[in-house]
Amino acid sequence: MKRFFKRIGLFSLVLSGVSFLLFIVCSLSYTLEYAVLASEKNAGSTNQRSAEWNKNQLHEEDILFFGSSTCYSGIDPSALQAFGLSGFNFCSSSQAIGNSASLIPAASMDVSPQCIALDVYPMPWGAKTPALESTKDWIINSNLRTPAWSKAYQTLALESGDIFTILTTFYYDFVRRFNVAGSNPDLAKDQKGSYCGLGFVARSFDALDSIECESLTRAMSDTECGYIEEISAHCEERSIQLILINPPQLCEETFEMPPCFDGLAYIDGNAWPGAKTPRNFYDDHHLVEAGAMSYSAWLAQEIASLLHAS
């Protein structure tokens, strides 16, 4: 038995050494890194969003936004300035409620916001785990590597159950110490997205002239409701106002209000006057830049009204 454990220990030691050497070699070549481990991307601007957050040593933002691409391409936090407020957008592609549940505590270590605004776009409802696309996006493309952020990525990787994603978490925690995400000059540009600061990405796709909609009904899973309750408890402990936001949709998703929404502030983006105007969108739920500017101004007023009333 003693020999068995000795062999296991030796194997673990050799595996750790090989992994470390692989990390070193991959970190010296983008080509090798992308072939063996994973590829960076500019789409969604997680690299620029995280780099901007890192540059500011003193954070006093009032409102932090979390959610999916409907959030980062639909909400410009600069619109809050008209109401004496400031904000930052921590949204990413396909970022589900479960992803945000791990990211919010990490961001709360950097700043004590007055409000957390959580995008709860209904289309992906029904999931029982965080979205793998968003998990990989943050692990690979984020420049936020404090212990709190690294813990968030590790938690998301473990929840994914994907062994390769777990491995890449350790690699990027190592390599981002000296190799900034987005620094590869040959990285493909986001052709239809322009990073405007504060986490917002303006989309330049052609606006729609019209659209045909089908009726779609969604239901939130118990797991997702559990994440909402977890986020709510986190905010309550820190005297942070939690606001749930259903983003505007040309083809509106219908649903029964989940029980975990009870008692929480809620803004329905479909009440925005431009929510059913095709020219504000490039598909049934993503806004073009002009639509995002109009929606952000409306949303900023709604948020300010809720905060001033509380």
Side-chain angles (χ1 to χ4, degrees), residues 11-290:
F11 174 77
S12 300
L13 185 63
V14 171
L15 182 62
S16 298
V18 170
S19 299
F20 181 72
L21 288 174
L22 179 64
F23 286 2
I24 292 290
V25 173
C26 287
S27 70
L28 299 175
S29 167
Y30 287 118
T31 301
L32 188 58
E33 177 186 312
Y34 295 174
V36 175
L37 292 168
S39 298
E40 291 182 66
K41 65 176 184 177
N42 275 316
S45 299
T46 296
N47 48 17
Q48 297 182 73
R49 179 177 299 111
S50 56
E52 180 185 359
W53 185 260
N54 266 344
K55 285 180 182 178
N56 188 354
Q57 297 299 313
L58 179 63
H59 288 288
E60 298 179 334
E61 289 81 2
D62 299 300
I63 300 159
L64 301 182
F65 295 92
F66 291 84
S68 64
S69 54
T70 55
C71 173
Y72 75 66
S73 65
I75 302 173
D76 181 1
S78 67
L80 295 164
Q81 295 171 9
F83 304 93
L85 297 168
S86 61
F88 198 87
N89 195 318
F90 281 107
C91 304
S92 69
S93 297
S94 298
Q95 186 168 305
I97 296 167
N99 297 92
S100 296
S102 288
L103 299 171
I104 286 171
S108 298
M109 295 294 290
D110 293 341
V111 65
S112 297
Q114 184 178 351
C115 170
I116 295 288
L118 180 65
D119 183 301
V120 291
Y121 175 50
M123 174 61 83
W125 285 7
K128 296 183 178 180
T129 59
L132 186 57
E133 180 182 349
S134 175
T135 294
K136 289 182 175 181
D137 187 12
W138 281 102
I139 290 171
I140 298 166
N141 299 300
S142 175
N143 290 299
L144 300 172
R145 296 291 160 177
T146 63
W149 285 102
S150 291
K151 180 182 177 182
Y153 309 149
Q154 291 163 13
T155 298
L156 289 169
L158 289 170
E159 286 188 274
S160 76
D162 186 274
I163 299 300
F164 196 71
T165 299
I166 296 170
L167 175 65
T168 58
T169 304
F170 292 105
Y171 171 74
Y172 284 105
D173 268 347
F174 164 74
V175 80
R176 288 291 170 250
R177 297 173 186 272
F178 53 86
N179 192 342
V180 175
S183 59
N184 180 4
D186 298 321
L187 200 60
K189 305 297 182 184
D190 188 346
Q191 297 297 329
K192 295 294 184 178
S194 177
Y195 186 71
C196 300
L198 302 180
F200 171 64
V201 178
R203 289 298 182 195
S204 57
F205 291 97
D206 292 337
L208 295 175
D209 291 317
S210 62
I211 192 170
E212 291 187 11
C213 295
E214 57 180 302
S215 179
L216 296 172
T217 302
R218 291 289 179 263
M220 182 172 282
S221 69
D222 291 341
T223 302
E224 288 164 320
C225 256
Y227 286 131
I228 293 282
E229 291 166 352
E230 180 182 325
I231 294 168
S232 178
H234 172 87
C235 291
E236 187 174 353
E237 288 172 4
R238 291 158 179 79
S239 300
I240 299 171
Q241 169 74 66
L242 175 61
I243 299 177
L244 306 181
I245 300 173
N246 181 23
Q249 303 129 50
L250 264 181
C251 299
E252 190 172 339
E253 314 286 338
T254 60
F255 56 89
E256 291 187 11
M257 199 67 77
C260 52
F261 284 20
D262 289 350
L264 300 179
Y266 176 81
I267 296 174
D268 188 355
N270 294 294
W272 165 51
K276 299 299 179 275
T277 303
R279 297 296 297 172
N280 285 328
F281 295 80
Y282 67 84
D283 62 21
D284 66 352
H285 61 286
H286 287 107
L287 296 166
V288 296
E289 182 176 6

